[in-house]
Amino acid sequence: MTRLGDLERAVMDVLWDVVPGTSDGVTVREVADALDGRELAYTTVMTVLDRLAGKGMVQREREGRAWRYRPAASREAHIAQLMLDALDLGGSRDAALVRFAHSVTGTEAEVLRAALGAEAGLTGPGESELTDRVDGPTGRRPAGEAAER
């Protein structure tokens, strides 16, 4: 997965924050307007969205003469893929996972335990709500996000 540049990340943040309640996506103008504090030309935002579409980060649909954009995956799915990519950088995946496990807070450890328990079919009382926060109300990964590693 390609890491995002500063402007690409800002645009994706707009899409992730704005689009969840709207399935039809947003226009270039709406993204440009949402990028408060940045004086960007419309064409700059359009170019960034076009490049993000080329990278598979956003989906777009024609509406009249304009395009409507929406994220191809959730922010959480993107971050999870970045974490998996980092594990592939070399060395021992096991050592990296152990080091990571020692660095998380108690609450984060609870979330990981609940997710691992759900994956193994061992979800107990109270754990499903933690999994719901991570994977949605079904407690399952969305289709196409099965554990491959």
Side-chain angles (χ1 to χ4, degrees):
M1 173 171 286
T2 304
R3 294 194 192 282
L4 300 175
D6 205 28
L7 185 52
E8 289 174 324
R9 191 172 34 252
V11 168
M12 286 305 301
D13 283 340
V14 168
L15 293 175
W16 282 320
D17 293 342
V18 172
V19 175
T22 59
S23 61
D24 58 342
V26 294
T27 64
V28 174
R29 175 61 52 210
E30 291 167 328
V31 173
D33 290 346
L35 289 169
D36 296 334
R38 293 184 182 242
E39 295 183 24
L40 298 170
Y42 176 92
T43 54
T44 301
V45 177
M46 184 173 59
T47 298
V48 171
L49 284 163
D50 185 56
R51 288 182 179 166
L52 288 168
K55 292 179 179 183
M57 291 291 301
V58 299
Q59 298 172 339
R60 63 184 175 184
E61 186 174 311
R62 183 75 82 173
E63 183 179 273
R65 293 179 50 208
W67 290 98
R68 293 194 80 76
Y69 295 86
R70 67 181 158 281
S74 69
R75 177 183 279 130
E76 294 78 11
H78 174 69
I79 293 169
Q81 187 59 54
L82 289 174
M83 293 169 71
L84 289 169
D85 290 348
L87 285 173
D88 288 338
L89 289 176
S92 168
R93 285 178 69 118
D94 292 347
L97 284 170
V98 169
R99 171 82 89 179
F100 177 75
H102 286 297
S103 69
V104 298
T105 66
T107 302
E108 293 164 341
E110 288 177 32
V111 171
L112 286 171
R113 274 189 213 94
L116 291 169
E119 185 69 23
L122 304 174
T123 302
E127 291 180 347
S128 64
E129 58 198 53
L130 288 172
T131 304
D132 288 350
R133 284 194 321 217
V134 176
D135 287 332
T138 63
R140 295 187 187 107
R141 288 187 183 127
E145 289 188 22
E148 296 176 17
R149 304 178 189 269

PDB file of all heavy atoms in Angstrom, residues 76-117:
ATOM      1  N   GLU A  76      -9.906   2.986   9.202  1.00  0.00           N
ATOM      2  CA  GLU A  76      -9.396   1.876  10.002  1.00  0.00           C
ATOM      3  C   GLU A  76      -8.795   0.778   9.131  1.00  0.00           C
ATOM      4  O   GLU A  76      -7.756   0.208   9.463  1.00  0.00           O
ATOM      5  CB  GLU A  76     -10.517   1.306  10.890  1.00  0.00           C
ATOM      6  CG  GLU A  76     -11.005   2.274  11.948  1.00  0.00           C
ATOM      7  CD  GLU A  76     -11.949   3.364  11.424  1.00  0.00           C
ATOM      8  OE1 GLU A  76     -12.424   3.280  10.274  1.00  0.00           O
ATOM      9  OE2 GLU A  76     -12.193   4.310  12.177  1.00  0.00           O
ATOM     10  N   ALA A  77      -9.441   0.490   8.004  1.00  0.00           N
ATOM     11  CA  ALA A  77      -8.904  -0.525   7.086  1.00  0.00           C
ATOM     12  C   ALA A  77      -7.575  -0.059   6.494  1.00  0.00           C
ATOM     13  O   ALA A  77      -6.636  -0.855   6.342  1.00  0.00           O
ATOM     14  CB  ALA A  77      -9.907  -0.820   5.969  1.00  0.00           C
ATOM     15  N   HIS A  78      -7.471   1.225   6.186  1.00  0.00           N
ATOM     16  CA  HIS A  78      -6.232   1.779   5.644  1.00  0.00           C
ATOM     17  C   HIS A  78      -5.101   1.670   6.674  1.00  0.00           C
ATOM     18  O   HIS A  78      -3.997   1.228   6.352  1.00  0.00           O
ATOM     19  CB  HIS A  78      -6.440   3.235   5.238  1.00  0.00           C
ATOM     20  CG  HIS A  78      -5.195   3.929   4.791  1.00  0.00           C
ATOM     21  ND1 HIS A  78      -4.550   3.613   3.628  1.00  0.00           N
ATOM     22  CD2 HIS A  78      -4.449   4.892   5.385  1.00  0.00           C
ATOM     23  CE1 HIS A  78      -3.463   4.369   3.507  1.00  0.00           C
ATOM     24  NE2 HIS A  78      -3.388   5.143   4.563  1.00  0.00           N
ATOM     25  N   ILE A  79      -5.379   2.051   7.908  1.00  0.00           N
ATOM     26  CA  ILE A  79      -4.361   1.991   8.963  1.00  0.00           C
ATOM     27  C   ILE A  79      -3.943   0.547   9.230  1.00  0.00           C
ATOM     28  O   ILE A  79      -2.754   0.255   9.394  1.00  0.00           O
ATOM     29  CB  ILE A  79      -4.871   2.676  10.237  1.00  0.00           C
ATOM     30  CG1 ILE A  79      -5.013   4.176   9.986  1.00  0.00           C
ATOM     31  CG2 ILE A  79      -3.940   2.410  11.423  1.00  0.00           C
ATOM     32  CD1 ILE A  79      -5.759   4.927  11.071  1.00  0.00           C
ATOM     33  N   ALA A  80      -4.913  -0.359   9.237  1.00  0.00           N
ATOM     34  CA  ALA A  80      -4.584  -1.771   9.450  1.00  0.00           C
ATOM     35  C   ALA A  80      -3.659  -2.279   8.346  1.00  0.00           C
ATOM     36  O   ALA A  80      -2.698  -3.017   8.609  1.00  0.00           O
ATOM     37  CB  ALA A  80      -5.855  -2.616   9.510  1.00  0.00           C
ATOM     38  N   GLN A  81      -3.923  -1.877   7.113  1.00  0.00           N
ATOM     39  CA  GLN A  81      -3.055  -2.311   6.006  1.00  0.00           C
ATOM     40  C   GLN A  81      -1.660  -1.722   6.140  1.00  0.00           C
ATOM     41  O   GLN A  81      -0.667  -2.395   5.867  1.00  0.00           O
ATOM     42  CB  GLN A  81      -3.666  -1.931   4.660  1.00  0.00           C
ATOM     43  CG  GLN A  81      -2.913  -2.503   3.478  1.00  0.00           C
ATOM     44  CD  GLN A  81      -2.852  -4.031   3.512  1.00  0.00           C
ATOM     45  OE1 GLN A  81      -3.884  -4.693   3.615  1.00  0.00           O
ATOM     46  NE2 GLN A  81      -1.664  -4.588   3.437  1.00  0.00           N
ATOM     47  N   LEU A  82      -1.557  -0.472   6.588  1.00  0.00           N
ATOM     48  CA  LEU A  82      -0.243   0.133   6.827  1.00  0.00           C
ATOM     49  C   LEU A  82       0.526  -0.647   7.888  1.00  0.00           C
ATOM     50  O   LEU A  82       1.740  -0.865   7.769  1.00  0.00           O
ATOM     51  CB  LEU A  82      -0.386   1.594   7.255  1.00  0.00           C
ATOM     52  CG  LEU A  82      -0.824   2.589   6.188  1.00  0.00           C
ATOM     53  CD1 LEU A  82      -1.056   3.968   6.814  1.00  0.00           C
ATOM     54  CD2 LEU A  82       0.193   2.669   5.070  1.00  0.00           C
ATOM     55  N   MET A  83      -0.185  -1.082   8.926  1.00  0.00           N
ATOM     56  CA  MET A  83       0.461  -1.860   9.983  1.00  0.00           C
ATOM     57  C   MET A  83       0.957  -3.202   9.442  1.00  0.00           C
ATOM     58  O   MET A  83       2.076  -3.627   9.754  1.00  0.00           O
ATOM     59  CB  MET A  83      -0.505  -2.052  11.150  1.00  0.00           C
ATOM     60  CG  MET A  83      -0.824  -0.745  11.874  1.00  0.00           C
ATOM     61  SD  MET A  83      -2.181  -0.876  13.055  1.00  0.00           S
ATOM     62  CE  MET A  83      -1.424  -1.838  14.337  1.00  0.00           C
ATOM     63  N   LEU A  84       0.147  -3.844   8.623  1.00  0.00           N
ATOM     64  CA  LEU A  84       0.566  -5.118   8.028  1.00  0.00           C
ATOM     65  C   LEU A  84       1.752  -4.916   7.090  1.00  0.00           C
ATOM     66  O   LEU A  84       2.680  -5.725   7.068  1.00  0.00           O
ATOM     67  CB  LEU A  84      -0.604  -5.763   7.280  1.00  0.00           C
ATOM     68  CG  LEU A  84      -1.717  -6.307   8.174  1.00  0.00           C
ATOM     69  CD1 LEU A  84      -2.934  -6.686   7.339  1.00  0.00           C
ATOM     70  CD2 LEU A  84      -1.225  -7.480   8.994  1.00  0.00           C
ATOM     71  N   ASP A  85       1.728  -3.827   6.341  1.00  0.00           N
ATOM     72  CA  ASP A  85       2.850  -3.520   5.449  1.00  0.00           C
ATOM     73  C   ASP A  85       4.125  -3.295   6.254  1.00  0.00           C
ATOM     74  O   ASP A  85       5.211  -3.711   5.843  1.00  0.00           O
ATOM     75  CB  ASP A  85       2.550  -2.295   4.589  1.00  0.00           C
ATOM     76  CG  ASP A  85       1.479  -2.558   3.539  1.00  0.00           C
ATOM     77  OD1 ASP A  85       1.122  -3.733   3.309  1.00  0.00           O
ATOM     78  OD2 ASP A  85       0.987  -1.566   2.956  1.00  0.00           O
ATOM     79  N   ALA A  86       4.005  -2.627   7.396  1.00  0.00           N
ATOM     80  CA  ALA A  86       5.175  -2.385   8.249  1.00  0.00           C
ATOM     81  C   ALA A  86       5.759  -3.695   8.752  1.00  0.00           C
ATOM     82  O   ALA A  86       6.979  -3.849   8.853  1.00  0.00           O
ATOM     83  CB  ALA A  86       4.794  -1.474   9.413  1.00  0.00           C
ATOM     84  N   LEU A  87       4.905  -4.678   9.039  1.00  0.00           N
ATOM     85  CA  LEU A  87       5.394  -5.983   9.486  1.00  0.00           C
ATOM     86  C   LEU A  87       6.190  -6.694   8.393  1.00  0.00           C
ATOM     87  O   LEU A  87       7.044  -7.522   8.684  1.00  0.00           O
ATOM     88  CB  LEU A  87       4.228  -6.880   9.930  1.00  0.00           C
ATOM     89  CG  LEU A  87       3.612  -6.539  11.277  1.00  0.00           C
ATOM     90  CD1 LEU A  87       2.370  -7.400  11.499  1.00  0.00           C
ATOM     91  CD2 LEU A  87       4.610  -6.719  12.400  1.00  0.00           C
ATOM     92  N   ASP A  88       5.904  -6.350   7.145  1.00  0.00           N
ATOM     93  CA  ASP A  88       6.596  -6.980   6.021  1.00  0.00           C
ATOM     94  C   ASP A  88       7.933  -6.320   5.689  1.00  0.00           C
ATOM     95  O   ASP A  88       8.613  -6.747   4.763  1.00  0.00           O
ATOM     96  CB  ASP A  88       5.703  -6.938   4.763  1.00  0.00           C
ATOM     97  CG  ASP A  88       4.537  -7.907   4.860  1.00  0.00           C
ATOM     98  OD1 ASP A  88       4.621  -8.871   5.640  1.00  0.00           O
ATOM     99  OD2 ASP A  88       3.543  -7.675   4.153  1.00  0.00           O
ATOM    100  N   LEU A  89       8.309  -5.289   6.427  1.00  0.00           N
ATOM    101  CA  LEU A  89       9.530  -4.556   6.102  1.00  0.00           C
ATOM    102  C   LEU A  89      10.801  -5.371   6.314  1.00  0.00           C
ATOM    103  O   LEU A  89      11.860  -4.995   5.850  1.00  0.00           O
ATOM    104  CB  LEU A  89       9.609  -3.251   6.899  1.00  0.00           C
ATOM    105  CG  LEU A  89       8.620  -2.182   6.473  1.00  0.00           C
ATOM    106  CD1 LEU A  89       8.716  -0.969   7.382  1.00  0.00           C
ATOM    107  CD2 LEU A  89       8.833  -1.777   5.020  1.00  0.00           C
ATOM    108  N   GLY A  90      10.704  -6.448   7.009  1.00  0.00           N
ATOM    109  CA  GLY A  90      11.891  -7.287   7.199  1.00  0.00           C
ATOM    110  C   GLY A  90      12.034  -7.692   8.645  1.00  0.00           C
ATOM    111  O   GLY A  90      11.296  -7.262   9.519  1.00  0.00           O
ATOM    112  N   GLY A  91      13.002  -8.551   8.880  1.00  0.00           N
ATOM    113  CA  GLY A  91      13.203  -9.035  10.234  1.00  0.00           C
ATOM    114  C   GLY A  91      12.118 -10.014  10.632  1.00  0.00           C
ATOM    115  O   GLY A  91      11.425 -10.590   9.799  1.00  0.00           O
ATOM    116  N   SER A  92      11.956 -10.161  11.902  1.00  0.00           N
ATOM    117  CA  SER A  92      10.997 -11.123  12.439  1.00  0.00           C
ATOM    118  C   SER A  92       9.649 -10.457  12.703  1.00  0.00           C
ATOM    119  O   SER A  92       9.548  -9.541  13.519  1.00  0.00           O
ATOM    120  CB  SER A  92      11.549 -11.718  13.737  1.00  0.00           C
ATOM    121  OG  SER A  92      10.548 -12.439  14.408  1.00  0.00           O
ATOM    122  N   ARG A  93       8.634 -10.949  12.046  1.00  0.00           N
ATOM    123  CA  ARG A  93       7.274 -10.447  12.300  1.00  0.00           C
ATOM    124  C   ARG A  93       6.890 -10.719  13.740  1.00  0.00           C
ATOM    125  O   ARG A  93       6.254  -9.886  14.386  1.00  0.00           O
ATOM    126  CB  ARG A  93       6.267 -11.130  11.369  1.00  0.00           C
ATOM    127  CG  ARG A  93       6.322 -10.635   9.945  1.00  0.00           C
ATOM    128  CD  ARG A  93       5.334 -11.399   9.080  1.00  0.00           C
ATOM    129  NE  ARG A  93       3.966 -11.046   9.454  1.00  0.00           N
ATOM    130  CZ  ARG A  93       3.092 -10.473   8.648  1.00  0.00           C
ATOM    131  NH1 ARG A  93       3.428 -10.202   7.409  1.00  0.00           N
ATOM    132  NH2 ARG A  93       1.889 -10.181   9.058  1.00  0.00           N
ATOM    133  N   ASP A  94       7.270 -11.901  14.247  1.00  0.00           N
ATOM    134  CA  ASP A  94       6.930 -12.259  15.626  1.00  0.00           C
ATOM    135  C   ASP A  94       7.543 -11.272  16.616  1.00  0.00           C
ATOM    136  O   ASP A  94       6.884 -10.812  17.541  1.00  0.00           O
ATOM    137  CB  ASP A  94       7.401 -13.681  15.952  1.00  0.00           C
ATOM    138  CG  ASP A  94       6.621 -14.740  15.188  1.00  0.00           C
ATOM    139  OD1 ASP A  94       5.574 -14.411  14.596  1.00  0.00           O
ATOM    140  OD2 ASP A  94       7.065 -15.901  15.183  1.00  0.00           O
ATOM    141  N   ALA A  95       8.818 -10.935  16.419  1.00  0.00           N
ATOM    142  CA  ALA A  95       9.490  -9.996  17.320  1.00  0.00           C
ATOM    143  C   ALA A  95       8.821  -8.625  17.258  1.00  0.00           C
ATOM    144  O   ALA A  95       8.642  -7.967  18.291  1.00  0.00           O
ATOM    145  CB  ALA A  95      10.971  -9.891  16.964  1.00  0.00           C
ATOM    146  N   ALA A  96       8.441  -8.196  16.059  1.00  0.00           N
ATOM    147  CA  ALA A  96       7.778  -6.902  15.911  1.00  0.00           C
ATOM    148  C   ALA A  96       6.417  -6.917  16.607  1.00  0.00           C
ATOM    149  O   ALA A  96       6.049  -5.948  17.278  1.00  0.00           O
ATOM    150  CB  ALA A  96       7.625  -6.541  14.442  1.00  0.00           C
ATOM    151  N   LEU A  97       5.679  -8.008  16.467  1.00  0.00           N
ATOM    152  CA  LEU A  97       4.368  -8.107  17.117  1.00  0.00           C
ATOM    153  C   LEU A  97       4.502  -8.105  18.639  1.00  0.00           C
ATOM    154  O   LEU A  97       3.712  -7.462  19.338  1.00  0.00           O
ATOM    155  CB  LEU A  97       3.636  -9.368  16.648  1.00  0.00           C
ATOM    156  CG  LEU A  97       3.036  -9.292  15.250  1.00  0.00           C
ATOM    157  CD1 LEU A  97       2.561 -10.666  14.794  1.00  0.00           C
ATOM    158  CD2 LEU A  97       1.892  -8.292  15.217  1.00  0.00           C
ATOM    159  N   VAL A  98       5.497  -8.813  19.149  1.00  0.00           N
ATOM    160  CA  VAL A  98       5.717  -8.843  20.597  1.00  0.00           C
ATOM    161  C   VAL A  98       6.082  -7.449  21.096  1.00  0.00           C
ATOM    162  O   VAL A  98       5.555  -6.981  22.106  1.00  0.00           O
ATOM    163  CB  VAL A  98       6.801  -9.878  20.974  1.00  0.00           C
ATOM    164  CG1 VAL A  98       7.231  -9.723  22.429  1.00  0.00           C
ATOM    165  CG2 VAL A  98       6.286 -11.293  20.714  1.00  0.00           C
ATOM    166  N   ARG A  99       6.961  -6.767  20.386  1.00  0.00           N
ATOM    167  CA  ARG A  99       7.362  -5.408  20.771  1.00  0.00           C
ATOM    168  C   ARG A  99       6.137  -4.495  20.755  1.00  0.00           C
ATOM    169  O   ARG A  99       5.942  -3.691  21.644  1.00  0.00           O
ATOM    170  CB  ARG A  99       8.424  -4.902  19.810  1.00  0.00           C
ATOM    171  CG  ARG A  99       8.765  -3.460  19.952  1.00  0.00           C
ATOM    172  CD  ARG A  99       9.723  -3.180  21.015  1.00  0.00           C
ATOM    173  NE  ARG A  99      11.076  -3.252  20.510  1.00  0.00           N
ATOM    174  CZ  ARG A  99      12.105  -3.011  21.277  1.00  0.00           C
ATOM    175  NH1 ARG A  99      11.916  -2.705  22.544  1.00  0.00           N
ATOM    176  NH2 ARG A  99      13.301  -3.079  20.815  1.00  0.00           N
ATOM    177  N   PHE A 100       5.302  -4.633  19.728  1.00  0.00           N
ATOM    178  CA  PHE A 100       4.080  -3.838  19.632  1.00  0.00           C
ATOM    179  C   PHE A 100       3.161  -4.138  20.815  1.00  0.00           C
ATOM    180  O   PHE A 100       2.629  -3.218  21.446  1.00  0.00           O
ATOM    181  CB  PHE A 100       3.374  -4.112  18.309  1.00  0.00           C
ATOM    182  CG  PHE A 100       2.067  -3.385  18.162  1.00  0.00           C
ATOM    183  CD1 PHE A 100       2.043  -2.026  17.885  1.00  0.00           C
ATOM    184  CD2 PHE A 100       0.857  -4.047  18.314  1.00  0.00           C
ATOM    185  CE1 PHE A 100       0.845  -1.337  17.765  1.00  0.00           C
ATOM    186  CE2 PHE A 100      -0.349  -3.369  18.192  1.00  0.00           C
ATOM    187  CZ  PHE A 100      -0.350  -2.011  17.917  1.00  0.00           C
ATOM    188  N   ALA A 101       2.970  -5.412  21.130  1.00  0.00           N
ATOM    189  CA  ALA A 101       2.083  -5.809  22.227  1.00  0.00           C
ATOM    190  C   ALA A 101       2.541  -5.211  23.558  1.00  0.00           C
ATOM    191  O   ALA A 101       1.711  -4.829  24.389  1.00  0.00           O
ATOM    192  CB  ALA A 101       2.011  -7.329  22.317  1.00  0.00           C
ATOM    193  N   HIS A 102       3.841  -5.104  23.746  1.00  0.00           N
ATOM    194  CA  HIS A 102       4.362  -4.523  24.987  1.00  0.00           C
ATOM    195  C   HIS A 102       4.198  -3.009  25.019  1.00  0.00           C
ATOM    196  O   HIS A 102       4.313  -2.406  26.090  1.00  0.00           O
ATOM    197  CB  HIS A 102       5.838  -4.887  25.169  1.00  0.00           C
ATOM    198  CG  HIS A 102       6.046  -6.310  25.561  1.00  0.00           C
ATOM    199  ND1 HIS A 102       5.585  -6.854  26.739  1.00  0.00           N
ATOM    200  CD2 HIS A 102       6.664  -7.323  24.904  1.00  0.00           C
ATOM    201  CE1 HIS A 102       5.902  -8.129  26.805  1.00  0.00           C
ATOM    202  NE2 HIS A 102       6.560  -8.447  25.691  1.00  0.00           N
ATOM    203  N   SER A 103       3.919  -2.384  23.888  1.00  0.00           N
ATOM    204  CA  SER A 103       3.834  -0.930  23.838  1.00  0.00           C
ATOM    205  C   SER A 103       2.409  -0.389  23.930  1.00  0.00           C
ATOM    206  O   SER A 103       2.225   0.817  24.076  1.00  0.00           O
ATOM    207  CB  SER A 103       4.489  -0.415  22.556  1.00  0.00           C
ATOM    208  OG  SER A 103       3.713  -0.772  21.432  1.00  0.00           O
ATOM    209  N   VAL A 104       1.402  -1.250  23.859  1.00  0.00           N
ATOM    210  CA  VAL A 104       0.021  -0.767  23.870  1.00  0.00           C
ATOM    211  C   VAL A 104      -0.458  -0.515  25.296  1.00  0.00           C
ATOM    212  O   VAL A 104       0.054  -1.094  26.249  1.00  0.00           O
ATOM    213  CB  VAL A 104      -0.944  -1.744  23.156  1.00  0.00           C
ATOM    214  CG1 VAL A 104      -0.572  -1.911  21.702  1.00  0.00           C
ATOM    215  CG2 VAL A 104      -0.998  -3.079  23.863  1.00  0.00           C
ATOM    216  N   THR A 105      -1.455   0.348  25.424  1.00  0.00           N
ATOM    217  CA  THR A 105      -2.052   0.643  26.724  1.00  0.00           C
ATOM    218  C   THR A 105      -2.976  -0.500  27.129  1.00  0.00           C
ATOM    219  O   THR A 105      -3.307  -1.379  26.314  1.00  0.00           O
ATOM    220  CB  THR A 105      -2.882   1.939  26.667  1.00  0.00           C
ATOM    221  OG1 THR A 105      -4.009   1.723  25.807  1.00  0.00           O
ATOM    222  CG2 THR A 105      -2.050   3.118  26.187  1.00  0.00           C
ATOM    223  N   GLY A 106      -3.443  -0.457  28.357  1.00  0.00           N
ATOM    224  CA  GLY A 106      -4.362  -1.489  28.842  1.00  0.00           C
ATOM    225  C   GLY A 106      -5.644  -1.563  28.029  1.00  0.00           C
ATOM    226  O   GLY A 106      -6.120  -2.652  27.693  1.00  0.00           O
ATOM    227  N   THR A 107      -6.209  -0.411  27.698  1.00  0.00           N
ATOM    228  CA  THR A 107      -7.441  -0.378  26.905  1.00  0.00           C
ATOM    229  C   THR A 107      -7.198  -0.941  25.509  1.00  0.00           C
ATOM    230  O   THR A 107      -8.018  -1.703  24.986  1.00  0.00           O
ATOM    231  CB  THR A 107      -7.976   1.061  26.803  1.00  0.00           C
ATOM    232  OG1 THR A 107      -8.194   1.556  28.126  1.00  0.00           O
ATOM    233  CG2 THR A 107      -9.267   1.113  26.018  1.00  0.00           C
ATOM    234  N   GLU A 108      -6.068  -0.556  24.896  1.00  0.00           N
ATOM    235  CA  GLU A 108      -5.734  -1.078  23.573  1.00  0.00           C
ATOM    236  C   GLU A 108      -5.531  -2.589  23.623  1.00  0.00           C
ATOM    237  O   GLU A 108      -5.953  -3.309  22.710  1.00  0.00           O
ATOM    238  CB  GLU A 108      -4.479  -0.382  23.033  1.00  0.00           C
ATOM    239  CG  GLU A 108      -4.696   1.087  22.734  1.00  0.00           C
ATOM    240  CD  GLU A 108      -3.407   1.870  22.562  1.00  0.00           C
ATOM    241  OE1 GLU A 108      -2.338   1.401  23.008  1.00  0.00           O
ATOM    242  OE2 GLU A 108      -3.470   2.961  21.979  1.00  0.00           O
ATOM    243  N   ALA A 109      -4.922  -3.083  24.701  1.00  0.00           N
ATOM    244  CA  ALA A 109      -4.729  -4.522  24.860  1.00  0.00           C
ATOM    245  C   ALA A 109      -6.074  -5.240  24.959  1.00  0.00           C
ATOM    246  O   ALA A 109      -6.251  -6.323  24.394  1.00  0.00           O
ATOM    247  CB  ALA A 109      -3.867  -4.822  26.090  1.00  0.00           C
ATOM    248  N   GLU A 110      -7.040  -4.618  25.642  1.00  0.00           N
ATOM    249  CA  GLU A 110      -8.382  -5.204  25.745  1.00  0.00           C
ATOM    250  C   GLU A 110      -9.034  -5.308  24.360  1.00  0.00           C
ATOM    251  O   GLU A 110      -9.674  -6.314  24.047  1.00  0.00           O
ATOM    252  CB  GLU A 110      -9.271  -4.358  26.659  1.00  0.00           C
ATOM    253  CG  GLU A 110      -8.921  -4.446  28.122  1.00  0.00           C
ATOM    254  CD  GLU A 110      -9.795  -3.525  28.961  1.00  0.00           C
ATOM    255  OE1 GLU A 110     -10.973  -3.313  28.593  1.00  0.00           O
ATOM    256  OE2 GLU A 110      -9.291  -3.018  29.967  1.00  0.00           O
ATOM    257  N   VAL A 111      -8.881  -4.265  23.559  1.00  0.00           N
ATOM    258  CA  VAL A 111      -9.444  -4.274  22.209  1.00  0.00           C
ATOM    259  C   VAL A 111      -8.804  -5.392  21.389  1.00  0.00           C
ATOM    260  O   VAL A 111      -9.489  -6.138  20.681  1.00  0.00           O
ATOM    261  CB  VAL A 111      -9.261  -2.899  21.519  1.00  0.00           C
ATOM    262  CG1 VAL A 111      -9.641  -2.964  20.048  1.00  0.00           C
ATOM    263  CG2 VAL A 111     -10.096  -1.839  22.224  1.00  0.00           C
ATOM    264  N   LEU A 112      -7.491  -5.521  21.484  1.00  0.00           N
ATOM    265  CA  LEU A 112      -6.792  -6.595  20.755  1.00  0.00           C
ATOM    266  C   LEU A 112      -7.252  -7.972  21.231  1.00  0.00           C
ATOM    267  O   LEU A 112      -7.491  -8.864  20.417  1.00  0.00           O
ATOM    268  CB  LEU A 112      -5.276  -6.460  20.923  1.00  0.00           C
ATOM    269  CG  LEU A 112      -4.626  -5.335  20.147  1.00  0.00           C
ATOM    270  CD1 LEU A 112      -3.162  -5.180  20.563  1.00  0.00           C
ATOM    271  CD2 LEU A 112      -4.725  -5.581  18.657  1.00  0.00           C
ATOM    272  N   ARG A 113      -7.362  -8.160  22.549  1.00  0.00           N
ATOM    273  CA  ARG A 113      -7.834  -9.453  23.078  1.00  0.00           C
ATOM    274  C   ARG A 113      -9.231  -9.785  22.542  1.00  0.00           C
ATOM    275  O   ARG A 113      -9.504 -10.917  22.149  1.00  0.00           O
ATOM    276  CB  ARG A 113      -7.867  -9.427  24.602  1.00  0.00           C
ATOM    277  CG  ARG A 113      -6.579  -9.789  25.246  1.00  0.00           C
ATOM    278  CD  ARG A 113      -6.750  -9.971  26.778  1.00  0.00           C
ATOM    279  NE  ARG A 113      -5.526  -9.555  27.417  1.00  0.00           N
ATOM    280  CZ  ARG A 113      -5.281  -8.334  27.903  1.00  0.00           C
ATOM    281  NH1 ARG A 113      -6.207  -7.405  27.878  1.00  0.00           N
ATOM    282  NH2 ARG A 113      -4.122  -8.042  28.438  1.00  0.00           N
ATOM    283  N   ALA A 114     -10.118  -8.789  22.561  1.00  0.00           N
ATOM    284  CA  ALA A 114     -11.481  -9.013  22.080  1.00  0.00           C
ATOM    285  C   ALA A 114     -11.486  -9.376  20.601  1.00  0.00           C
ATOM    286  O   ALA A 114     -12.193 -10.292  20.179  1.00  0.00           O
ATOM    287  CB  ALA A 114     -12.336  -7.766  22.316  1.00  0.00           C
ATOM    288  N   ALA A 115     -10.674  -8.670  19.803  1.00  0.00           N
ATOM    289  CA  ALA A 115     -10.621  -8.954  18.373  1.00  0.00           C
ATOM    290  C   ALA A 115     -10.044 -10.340  18.115  1.00  0.00           C
ATOM    291  O   ALA A 115     -10.559 -11.090  17.276  1.00  0.00           O
ATOM    292  CB  ALA A 115      -9.790  -7.893  17.656  1.00  0.00           C
ATOM    293  N   LEU A 116      -8.987 -10.695  18.830  1.00  0.00           N
ATOM    294  CA  LEU A 116      -8.394 -12.023  18.659  1.00  0.00           C
ATOM    295  C   LEU A 116      -9.341 -13.111  19.148  1.00  0.00           C
ATOM    296  O   LEU A 116      -9.442 -14.174  18.534  1.00  0.00           O
ATOM    297  CB  LEU A 116      -7.051 -12.109  19.391  1.00  0.00           C
ATOM    298  CG  LEU A 116      -5.940 -11.259  18.790  1.00  0.00           C
ATOM    299  CD1 LEU A 116      -4.737 -11.214  19.734  1.00  0.00           C
ATOM    300  CD2 LEU A 116      -5.540 -11.771  17.422  1.00  0.00           C
ATOM    301  N   GLY A 117     -10.063 -12.835  20.229  1.00  0.00           N
ATOM    302  CA  GLY A 117     -11.044 -13.793  20.730  1.00  0.00           C
ATOM    303  C   GLY A 117     -12.176 -14.002  19.736  1.00  0.00           C
ATOM    304  O   GLY A 117     -12.621 -15.119  19.494  1.00  0.00           O
TER     305      GLY A 117
END
